[in-house]
Amino acid sequence: MTDWQLTESFRSTSGMVRWDRLGPEDGEPVVLLHGTPFSSFVWREIAQALAQQYQVFVWDMPGYGFSEMRHGQDVSLAAQGEVFTQLLGHWGLSAPSVIAHDFGGAVALRAHLLHKAAYRRLALVDPVALAPWGSPFFRLVRQNAEVFEQLPPALHRALVREYIGSASFPGLRADVAERLAAPWSDLGGQAAFYRQIAQADQRYTDDIQKRYPQLDIPVTVCWGAEDTWIPVAKGYELASAIPGAQLTVIGGAGHLVSVDAPAVLASTLLAFLRDLR
């Protein structure tokens, strides 16, 4: 599956970012943010659907996908929020619509609430946004990242595939699973995989959680009904904390809603983007 490429580059404070743009150049801008341990690849079907009408920006965060991975790199939520703000300036976008999944939700929220990045609308898809977060596996790895970095490559690759696969409710096609795991599969990717988990810290969402009632832009929340990474109860909690936010629960989908139910998610997002209220 080689049809997903990011052809542009931007040097951020956390390393080289790879990005691309789809759709008409005069279309209203929409920016997609991926989560962890994923990349912009999770948005491929949604991006292509939105690009029929909108100018769609996709990017891989530093330490992920096609973007730079290196020893000592800051890939924390704090750093990613700053990088996203820089990237919006590089693109010359003053108030795009933003759609963010998982860890990307926290990145988008931090950029808006702490760095004054302006959005027209914000859609949060199974976001990391409310304490407590982090699965038992995630916490185990974070506490022992240096040990996990030394796993034999074959064992590491098996662990990554199993972990990524658990984000889907119906299960991932073999080619999709392979593409999602590929960035983490060589030695540099193995170190980067555990680096991003080691730097994940709940304090970066604690910084902003109390500010959610201050959001004064249209916000929608989408959640996979079968999400075992972040249960749908968090979706109800988050929607109730944001003035005017609506929650859409998508049946038959796990944490990777954009992969499990792309048609339903795309139609939900298109309706939100077209709502003039």
Side-chain angles (χ1 to χ4, degrees):
M1 191 177 295
T2 59
D3 59 334
W4 187 256
Q5 302 290 328
L6 302 183
T7 62
E8 304 290 339
S9 298
F10 168 69
R11 182 162 294 283
S12 76
T13 52
S14 285
M16 187 65 72
V17 170
R18 301 286 299 197
W19 65 274
D20 217 327
R21 175 171 35 207
L22 297 77
E25 291 187 5
D26 60 349
E28 183 181 311
V30 177
V31 183
L32 304 178
L33 285 77
H34 66 81
T36 182
F38 308 112
S39 69
S40 59
F41 180 74
V42 300
W43 287 119
R44 70 199 185 287
E45 293 184 69
I46 304 298
Q48 290 161 359
L50 297 180
Q52 300 304 306
Q53 177 179 350
Y54 296 93
Q55 183 180 197
V56 180
F57 292 80
V58 292
W59 62 296
D60 285 348
M61 296 183 196
Y64 294 80
F66 291 119
S67 290
E68 183 178 355
M69 300 178 180
R70 57 175 167 77
H71 178 72
Q73 188 175 23
D74 187 352
V75 295
S76 67
L77 278 168
Q80 304 290 5
E82 293 173 1
V83 169
F84 183 47
T85 306
Q86 296 164 18
L87 199 51
L88 291 173
H90 175 70
W91 289 332
L93 301 181
S94 57
S97 294
V98 172
I99 301 170
H101 174 244
D102 181 77
F103 182 98
V107 173
L109 287 163
R110 285 184 64 89
H112 181 68
L113 293 168
L114 299 182
H115 305 301
K116 310 304 180 185
Y119 307 151
R120 177 177 175 268
R121 292 177 169 271
L122 175 62
L124 299 168
V125 183
D126 297 66
V128 172
L130 297 172
W133 52 266
S135 67
F137 167 79
F138 201 87
R139 291 193 295 270
L140 176 66
V141 172
R142 187 169 61 231
Q143 293 163 7
N144 302 277
E146 293 182 358
V147 175
F148 279 89
E149 285 180 20
Q150 299 175 50
L151 285 175
L155 185 56
H156 161 73
R157 289 193 293 269
L159 183 152
V160 170
R161 290 193 188 97
E162 183 67 23
Y163 180 52
I164 287 174
S166 70
S168 170
F169 176 64
L172 298 174
R173 289 198 335 247
D175 59 335
V176 173
E178 181 62 28
R179 182 63 184 264
L180 290 173
W184 311 116
S185 296
D186 61 18
L187 290 178
Q190 179 167 343
F193 180 81
Y194 298 113
R195 184 182 305 121
Q196 51 90 16
I197 294 178
Q199 293 184 27
D201 194 319
Q202 187 178 292
R203 66 189 170 96
Y204 296 126
T205 53
D206 291 344
D207 286 346
I208 55 173
Q209 185 170 333
K210 61 184 177 295
R211 301 190 185 201
Y212 297 162
Q214 300 172 17
L215 288 164
D216 60 357
I217 55 174
V219 176
T220 196
V221 179
C222 302
W223 221 278
E226 310 299 335
D227 189 341
T228 57
W229 283 24
I230 312 177
V232 71
K234 288 290 186 184
Y236 288 98
E237 183 182 350
L238 180 61
S240 68
I242 299 173
Q246 302 293 316
L247 172 66
T248 299
V249 178
I250 298 177
H255 188 65
L256 276 175
V257 185
S258 62
V259 176
D260 288 354
V264 177
L265 180 60
S267 66
T268 300
L269 294 173
L270 280 168
F272 176 63
L273 292 171
R274 291 168 179 160
D275 190 344
L276 299 179
R277 289 177 296 173

